[in-house]
Amino acid sequence: MSLAGKVALVTGASRGIGAAIADHLAAAGAYVLGTATTAAGAAQISQRLAGSGTGYVLDVSSEASVNAFFEQIKAAHEAPLVLVNNAGITQDNIALRMKAEEWDDVINTNLNSIYRVCKASMRGMTKARWGRIINITSVVASMGNAGQSNYAAAKAGVEGYSRALASELGSRGITVNCVAPGFIQTDMTDALSEEQKQALLRRVPAGRLGAAREVAALVTFLAGDDAGYVTGETLHINGGLYMN
C-alpha cells in the first residue's frame, strides 16, 4: 500500500501511539505533518521523521492555534488528505468530585478539537474528492471506566460525530472512521507497577498489552485506497477486552 504524494496530518505525534502512527504513515509514503504542544516536541518530530515529515506546534484546544496552524502549512504543503486526530488528555476523577475545569478541559481538548481540526481539513479533501479522517477514541467510550466520565463522554462524542460526518462526506470520496485502542504499551503503562499491570492483563483475553505499532498499522490501512468502502465505523483494537 502506498500513500506516496499525499500529505498526512497527525496530531499528538511526539510520542506513544501518535508517534507510531506518524512513522507508519511516513513509511507508507506519506509526507507527515506531526504536531506537538511544545517547540521541543515539534523539533523531535522533525528529527525523527528525517525528511519524511515536519513537526509543528499546535494546541488543538485553541481555535486560534488551529487557525494559525492551517494558515502556516498552507504556504509550505499541499492540503492534508489524511487526518489522524490523536491528541488528547486525561484528567481523571470520580464524578462526585470532578471539578468543572476537569470536565471542560477534557471535553474541549478531546471532543471540541475534533470539530475544529476536521472542519479546517475538509475543504482540501472535498476539492480533491478524496480524503481519510481517522479519529483515535478509546475502548472506554464503549465500556466506560470509573473515574473517567469526562474522558468516556468525550470519546463517545467523537464516535457519534464521526458517524454523522461519514454520512455527510461519503459522496465526496471521504471516509471517516474511529480506531478505539484498549490497553496499549506506552509511557503511561510503563509507569504502572507490576501488580497494576497484572491486574490489567487479567482482563485481556490476549494476555498482553497491545503495541503502538499495531494501532498504527490499523490506522495506516484505513488511510489507504483499500479501505475506501469502510466508513462510519469504530474499529476496536483491545485484545478482546471489549467485544462488540
Side-chain angles (χ1 to χ4, degrees), residues 140-177:
V140 169
S142 295
M143 64 182 289
N145 196 35
Q148 289 193 308
S149 59
N150 51 0
Y151 187 76
K155 293 300 189 179
V158 172
E159 293 181 3
Y161 173 77
S162 299
R163 289 189 289 271
L165 202 59
S167 299
E168 294 182 13
L169 300 178
S171 64
R172 295 169 172 82
I174 302 167
T175 66
V176 187
N177 292 289

PDB file of all heavy atoms in Angstrom, residues 140-177:
ATOM      1  N   VAL A 140     -12.844   2.877  26.295  1.00  0.00           N
ATOM      2  CA  VAL A 140     -13.620   3.472  27.388  1.00  0.00           C
ATOM      3  C   VAL A 140     -14.919   4.091  26.884  1.00  0.00           C
ATOM      4  O   VAL A 140     -15.920   4.151  27.619  1.00  0.00           O
ATOM      5  CB  VAL A 140     -12.750   4.514  28.125  1.00  0.00           C
ATOM      6  CG1 VAL A 140     -13.568   5.351  29.086  1.00  0.00           C
ATOM      7  CG2 VAL A 140     -11.631   3.811  28.885  1.00  0.00           C
ATOM      8  N   ALA A 141     -14.948   4.534  25.628  1.00  0.00           N
ATOM      9  CA  ALA A 141     -16.162   5.119  25.073  1.00  0.00           C
ATOM     10  C   ALA A 141     -17.294   4.108  25.029  1.00  0.00           C
ATOM     11  O   ALA A 141     -18.470   4.471  25.124  1.00  0.00           O
ATOM     12  CB  ALA A 141     -15.897   5.662  23.667  1.00  0.00           C
ATOM     13  N   SER A 142     -16.965   2.837  24.889  1.00  0.00           N
ATOM     14  CA  SER A 142     -17.981   1.793  24.790  1.00  0.00           C
ATOM     15  C   SER A 142     -18.248   1.097  26.116  1.00  0.00           C
ATOM     16  O   SER A 142     -19.399   0.788  26.435  1.00  0.00           O
ATOM     17  CB  SER A 142     -17.538   0.735  23.766  1.00  0.00           C
ATOM     18  OG  SER A 142     -17.466   1.291  22.473  1.00  0.00           O
ATOM     19  N   MET A 143     -17.208   0.832  26.891  1.00  0.00           N
ATOM     20  CA  MET A 143     -17.395   0.041  28.115  1.00  0.00           C
ATOM     21  C   MET A 143     -17.407   0.869  29.384  1.00  0.00           C
ATOM     22  O   MET A 143     -17.770   0.373  30.436  1.00  0.00           O
ATOM     23  CB  MET A 143     -16.317  -1.038  28.213  1.00  0.00           C
ATOM     24  CG  MET A 143     -14.908  -0.533  28.346  1.00  0.00           C
ATOM     25  SD  MET A 143     -13.684  -1.895  28.401  1.00  0.00           S
ATOM     26  CE  MET A 143     -14.009  -2.571  30.016  1.00  0.00           C
ATOM     27  N   GLY A 144     -17.029   2.159  29.283  1.00  0.00           N
ATOM     28  CA  GLY A 144     -16.980   3.006  30.465  1.00  0.00           C
ATOM     29  C   GLY A 144     -15.797   2.653  31.343  1.00  0.00           C
ATOM     30  O   GLY A 144     -15.165   1.606  31.186  1.00  0.00           O
ATOM     31  N   ASN A 145     -15.486   3.535  32.276  1.00  0.00           N
ATOM     32  CA  ASN A 145     -14.424   3.271  33.235  1.00  0.00           C
ATOM     33  C   ASN A 145     -14.593   4.221  34.412  1.00  0.00           C
ATOM     34  O   ASN A 145     -14.701   5.437  34.225  1.00  0.00           O
ATOM     35  CB  ASN A 145     -13.047   3.467  32.597  1.00  0.00           C
ATOM     36  CG  ASN A 145     -11.943   2.843  33.408  1.00  0.00           C
ATOM     37  OD1 ASN A 145     -12.116   1.792  34.029  1.00  0.00           O
ATOM     38  ND2 ASN A 145     -10.780   3.476  33.426  1.00  0.00           N
ATOM     39  N   ALA A 146     -14.624   3.678  35.589  1.00  0.00           N
ATOM     40  CA  ALA A 146     -14.808   4.501  36.787  1.00  0.00           C
ATOM     41  C   ALA A 146     -13.682   5.527  36.885  1.00  0.00           C
ATOM     42  O   ALA A 146     -12.509   5.209  36.683  1.00  0.00           O
ATOM     43  CB  ALA A 146     -14.817   3.625  38.032  1.00  0.00           C
ATOM     44  N   GLY A 147     -14.070   6.762  37.174  1.00  0.00           N
ATOM     45  CA  GLY A 147     -13.096   7.838  37.302  1.00  0.00           C
ATOM     46  C   GLY A 147     -12.777   8.547  36.012  1.00  0.00           C
ATOM     47  O   GLY A 147     -11.967   9.484  36.001  1.00  0.00           O
ATOM     48  N   GLN A 148     -13.413   8.123  34.913  1.00  0.00           N
ATOM     49  CA  GLN A 148     -13.134   8.740  33.615  1.00  0.00           C
ATOM     50  C   GLN A 148     -14.416   9.140  32.889  1.00  0.00           C
ATOM     51  O   GLN A 148     -14.523   9.003  31.676  1.00  0.00           O
ATOM     52  CB  GLN A 148     -12.322   7.787  32.734  1.00  0.00           C
ATOM     53  CG  GLN A 148     -10.882   7.585  33.187  1.00  0.00           C
ATOM     54  CD  GLN A 148     -10.049   6.897  32.127  1.00  0.00           C
ATOM     55  OE1 GLN A 148     -10.408   5.842  31.612  1.00  0.00           O
ATOM     56  NE2 GLN A 148      -8.913   7.500  31.789  1.00  0.00           N
ATOM     57  N   SER A 149     -15.379   9.653  33.621  1.00  0.00           N
ATOM     58  CA  SER A 149     -16.646  10.025  32.974  1.00  0.00           C
ATOM     59  C   SER A 149     -16.445  11.116  31.937  1.00  0.00           C
ATOM     60  O   SER A 149     -17.100  11.118  30.881  1.00  0.00           O
ATOM     61  CB  SER A 149     -17.674  10.464  34.018  1.00  0.00           C
ATOM     62  OG  SER A 149     -17.196  11.574  34.779  1.00  0.00           O
ATOM     63  N   ASN A 150     -15.539  12.064  32.202  1.00  0.00           N
ATOM     64  CA  ASN A 150     -15.272  13.128  31.226  1.00  0.00           C
ATOM     65  C   ASN A 150     -14.621  12.569  29.971  1.00  0.00           C
ATOM     66  O   ASN A 150     -15.003  12.892  28.840  1.00  0.00           O
ATOM     67  CB  ASN A 150     -14.416  14.233  31.854  1.00  0.00           C
ATOM     68  CG  ASN A 150     -13.166  13.724  32.556  1.00  0.00           C
ATOM     69  OD1 ASN A 150     -12.874  12.533  32.602  1.00  0.00           O
ATOM     70  ND2 ASN A 150     -12.396  14.660  33.121  1.00  0.00           N
ATOM     71  N   TYR A 151     -13.634  11.696  30.148  1.00  0.00           N
ATOM     72  CA  TYR A 151     -12.908  11.098  29.020  1.00  0.00           C
ATOM     73  C   TYR A 151     -13.832  10.196  28.203  1.00  0.00           C
ATOM     74  O   TYR A 151     -13.843  10.246  26.967  1.00  0.00           O
ATOM     75  CB  TYR A 151     -11.729  10.304  29.568  1.00  0.00           C
ATOM     76  CG  TYR A 151     -10.781   9.748  28.538  1.00  0.00           C
ATOM     77  CD1 TYR A 151      -9.865  10.565  27.885  1.00  0.00           C
ATOM     78  CD2 TYR A 151     -10.788   8.397  28.228  1.00  0.00           C
ATOM     79  CE1 TYR A 151      -8.982  10.052  26.958  1.00  0.00           C
ATOM     80  CE2 TYR A 151      -9.905   7.865  27.304  1.00  0.00           C
ATOM     81  CZ  TYR A 151      -9.008   8.696  26.668  1.00  0.00           C
ATOM     82  OH  TYR A 151      -8.138   8.184  25.737  1.00  0.00           O
ATOM     83  N   ALA A 152     -14.633   9.372  28.896  1.00  0.00           N
ATOM     84  CA  ALA A 152     -15.562   8.481  28.202  1.00  0.00           C
ATOM     85  C   ALA A 152     -16.597   9.267  27.411  1.00  0.00           C
ATOM     86  O   ALA A 152     -16.921   8.918  26.266  1.00  0.00           O
ATOM     87  CB  ALA A 152     -16.253   7.555  29.209  1.00  0.00           C
ATOM     88  N   ALA A 153     -17.106  10.347  28.002  1.00  0.00           N
ATOM     89  CA  ALA A 153     -18.099  11.169  27.313  1.00  0.00           C
ATOM     90  C   ALA A 153     -17.507  11.822  26.075  1.00  0.00           C
ATOM     91  O   ALA A 153     -18.137  11.873  25.009  1.00  0.00           O
ATOM     92  CB  ALA A 153     -18.635  12.237  28.265  1.00  0.00           C
ATOM     93  N   ALA A 154     -16.279  12.325  26.195  1.00  0.00           N
ATOM     94  CA  ALA A 154     -15.626  12.975  25.058  1.00  0.00           C
ATOM     95  C   ALA A 154     -15.395  11.989  23.921  1.00  0.00           C
ATOM     96  O   ALA A 154     -15.694  12.278  22.755  1.00  0.00           O
ATOM     97  CB  ALA A 154     -14.307  13.603  25.501  1.00  0.00           C
ATOM     98  N   LYS A 155     -14.872  10.815  24.249  1.00  0.00           N
ATOM     99  CA  LYS A 155     -14.563   9.836  23.205  1.00  0.00           C
ATOM    100  C   LYS A 155     -15.834   9.278  22.568  1.00  0.00           C
ATOM    101  O   LYS A 155     -15.879   9.029  21.357  1.00  0.00           O
ATOM    102  CB  LYS A 155     -13.712   8.709  23.787  1.00  0.00           C
ATOM    103  CG  LYS A 155     -12.311   9.149  24.210  1.00  0.00           C
ATOM    104  CD  LYS A 155     -11.508   9.721  23.043  1.00  0.00           C
ATOM    105  CE  LYS A 155     -10.060   9.961  23.405  1.00  0.00           C
ATOM    106  NZ  LYS A 155      -9.265  10.505  22.269  1.00  0.00           N
ATOM    107  N   ALA A 156     -16.881   9.081  23.358  1.00  0.00           N
ATOM    108  CA  ALA A 156     -18.154   8.644  22.793  1.00  0.00           C
ATOM    109  C   ALA A 156     -18.725   9.721  21.875  1.00  0.00           C
ATOM    110  O   ALA A 156     -19.301   9.417  20.822  1.00  0.00           O
ATOM    111  CB  ALA A 156     -19.140   8.315  23.909  1.00  0.00           C
ATOM    112  N   GLY A 157     -18.541  10.975  22.261  1.00  0.00           N
ATOM    113  CA  GLY A 157     -18.980  12.074  21.410  1.00  0.00           C
ATOM    114  C   GLY A 157     -18.250  12.100  20.089  1.00  0.00           C
ATOM    115  O   GLY A 157     -18.840  12.376  19.034  1.00  0.00           O
ATOM    116  N   VAL A 158     -16.953  11.820  20.113  1.00  0.00           N
ATOM    117  CA  VAL A 158     -16.169  11.765  18.876  1.00  0.00           C
ATOM    118  C   VAL A 158     -16.717  10.680  17.950  1.00  0.00           C
ATOM    119  O   VAL A 158     -16.827  10.882  16.736  1.00  0.00           O
ATOM    120  CB  VAL A 158     -14.682  11.503  19.184  1.00  0.00           C
ATOM    121  CG1 VAL A 158     -13.903  11.249  17.889  1.00  0.00           C
ATOM    122  CG2 VAL A 158     -14.074  12.682  19.928  1.00  0.00           C
ATOM    123  N   GLU A 159     -17.085   9.544  18.511  1.00  0.00           N
ATOM    124  CA  GLU A 159     -17.597   8.463  17.683  1.00  0.00           C
ATOM    125  C   GLU A 159     -18.934   8.836  17.037  1.00  0.00           C
ATOM    126  O   GLU A 159     -19.172   8.556  15.857  1.00  0.00           O
ATOM    127  CB  GLU A 159     -17.699   7.179  18.503  1.00  0.00           C
ATOM    128  CG  GLU A 159     -16.326   6.649  18.907  1.00  0.00           C
ATOM    129  CD  GLU A 159     -16.355   5.362  19.701  1.00  0.00           C
ATOM    130  OE1 GLU A 159     -17.462   4.813  19.914  1.00  0.00           O
ATOM    131  OE2 GLU A 159     -15.273   4.887  20.104  1.00  0.00           O
ATOM    132  N   GLY A 160     -19.812   9.489  17.784  1.00  0.00           N
ATOM    133  CA  GLY A 160     -21.075   9.939  17.215  1.00  0.00           C
ATOM    134  C   GLY A 160     -20.864  10.990  16.139  1.00  0.00           C
ATOM    135  O   GLY A 160     -21.499  10.952  15.072  1.00  0.00           O
ATOM    136  N   TYR A 161     -19.982  11.941  16.405  1.00  0.00           N
ATOM    137  CA  TYR A 161     -19.645  12.974  15.425  1.00  0.00           C
ATOM    138  C   TYR A 161     -19.091  12.338  14.151  1.00  0.00           C
ATOM    139  O   TYR A 161     -19.445  12.735  13.034  1.00  0.00           O
ATOM    140  CB  TYR A 161     -18.636  13.940  16.029  1.00  0.00           C
ATOM    141  CG  TYR A 161     -18.066  14.956  15.068  1.00  0.00           C
ATOM    142  CD1 TYR A 161     -18.816  16.066  14.681  1.00  0.00           C
ATOM    143  CD2 TYR A 161     -16.787  14.810  14.551  1.00  0.00           C
ATOM    144  CE1 TYR A 161     -18.290  17.003  13.806  1.00  0.00           C
ATOM    145  CE2 TYR A 161     -16.255  15.740  13.678  1.00  0.00           C
ATOM    146  CZ  TYR A 161     -17.011  16.839  13.305  1.00  0.00           C
ATOM    147  OH  TYR A 161     -16.495  17.765  12.426  1.00  0.00           O
ATOM    148  N   SER A 162     -18.247  11.338  14.318  1.00  0.00           N
ATOM    149  CA  SER A 162     -17.611  10.693  13.164  1.00  0.00           C
ATOM    150  C   SER A 162     -18.638   9.999  12.282  1.00  0.00           C
ATOM    151  O   SER A 162     -18.545  10.046  11.047  1.00  0.00           O
ATOM    152  CB  SER A 162     -16.552   9.693  13.639  1.00  0.00           C
ATOM    153  OG  SER A 162     -15.532  10.340  14.376  1.00  0.00           O
ATOM    154  N   ARG A 163     -19.622   9.358  12.881  1.00  0.00           N
ATOM    155  CA  ARG A 163     -20.661   8.693  12.083  1.00  0.00           C
ATOM    156  C   ARG A 163     -21.481   9.715  11.297  1.00  0.00           C
ATOM    157  O   ARG A 163     -21.814   9.497  10.123  1.00  0.00           O
ATOM    158  CB  ARG A 163     -21.550   7.838  12.983  1.00  0.00           C
ATOM    159  CG  ARG A 163     -20.847   6.584  13.513  1.00  0.00           C
ATOM    160  CD  ARG A 163     -21.809   5.649  14.215  1.00  0.00           C
ATOM    161  NE  ARG A 163     -22.252   6.180  15.497  1.00  0.00           N
ATOM    162  CZ  ARG A 163     -21.628   5.976  16.649  1.00  0.00           C
ATOM    163  NH1 ARG A 163     -20.510   5.265  16.674  1.00  0.00           N
ATOM    164  NH2 ARG A 163     -22.108   6.458  17.782  1.00  0.00           N
ATOM    165  N   ALA A 164     -21.812  10.828  11.949  1.00  0.00           N
ATOM    166  CA  ALA A 164     -22.565  11.868  11.245  1.00  0.00           C
ATOM    167  C   ALA A 164     -21.739  12.455  10.104  1.00  0.00           C
ATOM    168  O   ALA A 164     -22.249  12.686   8.992  1.00  0.00           O
ATOM    169  CB  ALA A 164     -22.978  12.966  12.231  1.00  0.00           C
ATOM    170  N   LEU A 165     -20.459  12.682  10.371  1.00  0.00           N
ATOM    171  CA  LEU A 165     -19.585  13.258   9.345  1.00  0.00           C
ATOM    172  C   LEU A 165     -19.416  12.288   8.181  1.00  0.00           C
ATOM    173  O   LEU A 165     -19.369  12.705   7.016  1.00  0.00           O
ATOM    174  CB  LEU A 165     -18.227  13.582   9.972  1.00  0.00           C
ATOM    175  CG  LEU A 165     -17.358  14.622   9.269  1.00  0.00           C
ATOM    176  CD1 LEU A 165     -18.083  15.956   9.170  1.00  0.00           C
ATOM    177  CD2 LEU A 165     -16.041  14.791  10.020  1.00  0.00           C
ATOM    178  N   ALA A 166     -19.323  10.996   8.480  1.00  0.00           N
ATOM    179  CA  ALA A 166     -19.211   9.996   7.418  1.00  0.00           C
ATOM    180  C   ALA A 166     -20.423  10.048   6.494  1.00  0.00           C
ATOM    181  O   ALA A 166     -20.294   9.909   5.264  1.00  0.00           O
ATOM    182  CB  ALA A 166     -19.069   8.602   8.028  1.00  0.00           C
ATOM    183  N   SER A 167     -21.602  10.275   7.066  1.00  0.00           N
ATOM    184  CA  SER A 167     -22.819  10.383   6.255  1.00  0.00           C
ATOM    185  C   SER A 167     -22.778  11.602   5.347  1.00  0.00           C
ATOM    186  O   SER A 167     -23.242  11.564   4.204  1.00  0.00           O
ATOM    187  CB  SER A 167     -24.049  10.455   7.162  1.00  0.00           C
ATOM    188  OG  SER A 167     -24.170   9.288   7.947  1.00  0.00           O
ATOM    189  N   GLU A 168     -22.210  12.685   5.847  1.00  0.00           N
ATOM    190  CA  GLU A 168     -22.163  13.919   5.065  1.00  0.00           C
ATOM    191  C   GLU A 168     -21.115  13.880   3.953  1.00  0.00           C
ATOM    192  O   GLU A 168     -21.321  14.458   2.880  1.00  0.00           O
ATOM    193  CB  GLU A 168     -21.862  15.099   5.993  1.00  0.00           C
ATOM    194  CG  GLU A 168     -22.952  15.406   6.997  1.00  0.00           C
ATOM    195  CD  GLU A 168     -22.608  16.613   7.864  1.00  0.00           C
ATOM    196  OE1 GLU A 168     -21.665  17.347   7.527  1.00  0.00           O
ATOM    197  OE2 GLU A 168     -23.288  16.804   8.895  1.00  0.00           O
ATOM    198  N   LEU A 169     -19.997  13.216   4.201  1.00  0.00           N
ATOM    199  CA  LEU A 169     -18.847  13.320   3.303  1.00  0.00           C
ATOM    200  C   LEU A 169     -18.647  12.121   2.384  1.00  0.00           C
ATOM    201  O   LEU A 169     -17.796  12.160   1.493  1.00  0.00           O
ATOM    202  CB  LEU A 169     -17.565  13.527   4.121  1.00  0.00           C
ATOM    203  CG  LEU A 169     -17.518  14.784   4.995  1.00  0.00           C
ATOM    204  CD1 LEU A 169     -16.213  14.827   5.787  1.00  0.00           C
ATOM    205  CD2 LEU A 169     -17.664  16.041   4.154  1.00  0.00           C
ATOM    206  N   GLY A 170     -19.422  11.063   2.588  1.00  0.00           N
ATOM    207  CA  GLY A 170     -19.215   9.843   1.807  1.00  0.00           C
ATOM    208  C   GLY A 170     -19.307  10.052   0.305  1.00  0.00           C
ATOM    209  O   GLY A 170     -18.532   9.462  -0.459  1.00  0.00           O
ATOM    210  N   SER A 171     -20.229  10.886  -0.148  1.00  0.00           N
ATOM    211  CA  SER A 171     -20.413  11.100  -1.588  1.00  0.00           C
ATOM    212  C   SER A 171     -19.256  11.866  -2.213  1.00  0.00           C
ATOM    213  O   SER A 171     -19.147  11.937  -3.432  1.00  0.00           O
ATOM    214  CB  SER A 171     -21.725  11.861  -1.837  1.00  0.00           C
ATOM    215  OG  SER A 171     -21.658  13.159  -1.259  1.00  0.00           O
ATOM    216  N   ARG A 172     -18.383  12.421  -1.372  1.00  0.00           N
ATOM    217  CA  ARG A 172     -17.234  13.178  -1.874  1.00  0.00           C
ATOM    218  C   ARG A 172     -15.937  12.369  -1.821  1.00  0.00           C
ATOM    219  O   ARG A 172     -14.848  12.917  -1.949  1.00  0.00           O
ATOM    220  CB  ARG A 172     -17.079  14.473  -1.071  1.00  0.00           C
ATOM    221  CG  ARG A 172     -18.247  15.438  -1.256  1.00  0.00           C
ATOM    222  CD  ARG A 172     -18.201  16.567  -0.251  1.00  0.00           C
ATOM    223  NE  ARG A 172     -19.196  17.594  -0.520  1.00  0.00           N
ATOM    224  CZ  ARG A 172     -20.472  17.524  -0.161  1.00  0.00           C
ATOM    225  NH1 ARG A 172     -20.921  16.455   0.478  1.00  0.00           N
ATOM    226  NH2 ARG A 172     -21.310  18.509  -0.444  1.00  0.00           N
ATOM    227  N   GLY A 173     -16.064  11.086  -1.595  1.00  0.00           N
ATOM    228  CA  GLY A 173     -14.889  10.236  -1.575  1.00  0.00           C
ATOM    229  C   GLY A 173     -14.079  10.329  -0.295  1.00  0.00           C
ATOM    230  O   GLY A 173     -12.910   9.944  -0.252  1.00  0.00           O
ATOM    231  N   ILE A 174     -14.704  10.824   0.766  1.00  0.00           N
ATOM    232  CA  ILE A 174     -14.024  10.998   2.055  1.00  0.00           C
ATOM    233  C   ILE A 174     -14.601  10.000   3.051  1.00  0.00           C
ATOM    234  O   ILE A 174     -15.820   9.941   3.242  1.00  0.00           O
ATOM    235  CB  ILE A 174     -14.210  12.434   2.589  1.00  0.00           C
ATOM    236  CG1 ILE A 174     -13.686  13.458   1.577  1.00  0.00           C
ATOM    237  CG2 ILE A 174     -13.497  12.599   3.931  1.00  0.00           C
ATOM    238  CD1 ILE A 174     -14.103  14.885   1.885  1.00  0.00           C
ATOM    239  N   THR A 175     -13.737   9.213   3.660  1.00  0.00           N
ATOM    240  CA  THR A 175     -14.175   8.287   4.696  1.00  0.00           C
ATOM    241  C   THR A 175     -13.839   8.858   6.074  1.00  0.00           C
ATOM    242  O   THR A 175     -12.863   9.587   6.234  1.00  0.00           O
ATOM    243  CB  THR A 175     -13.530   6.902   4.550  1.00  0.00           C
ATOM    244  OG1 THR A 175     -12.123   7.014   4.776  1.00  0.00           O
ATOM    245  CG2 THR A 175     -13.772   6.330   3.159  1.00  0.00           C
ATOM    246  N   VAL A 176     -14.657   8.501   7.050  1.00  0.00           N
ATOM    247  CA  VAL A 176     -14.451   8.946   8.431  1.00  0.00           C
ATOM    248  C   VAL A 176     -14.636   7.735   9.345  1.00  0.00           C
ATOM    249  O   VAL A 176     -15.710   7.124   9.362  1.00  0.00           O
ATOM    250  CB  VAL A 176     -15.442  10.056   8.837  1.00  0.00           C
ATOM    251  CG1 VAL A 176     -15.091  10.610  10.215  1.00  0.00           C
ATOM    252  CG2 VAL A 176     -15.475  11.168   7.802  1.00  0.00           C
ATOM    253  N   ASN A 177     -13.596   7.388  10.056  1.00  0.00           N
ATOM    254  CA  ASN A 177     -13.647   6.223  10.945  1.00  0.00           C
ATOM    255  C   ASN A 177     -12.970   6.535  12.271  1.00  0.00           C
ATOM    256  O   ASN A 177     -12.202   7.492  12.388  1.00  0.00           O
ATOM    257  CB  ASN A 177     -12.951   5.025  10.290  1.00  0.00           C
ATOM    258  CG  ASN A 177     -13.704   4.506   9.089  1.00  0.00           C
ATOM    259  OD1 ASN A 177     -14.773   3.913   9.209  1.00  0.00           O
ATOM    260  ND2 ASN A 177     -13.153   4.732   7.898  1.00  0.00           N
TER     261      ASN A 177
END
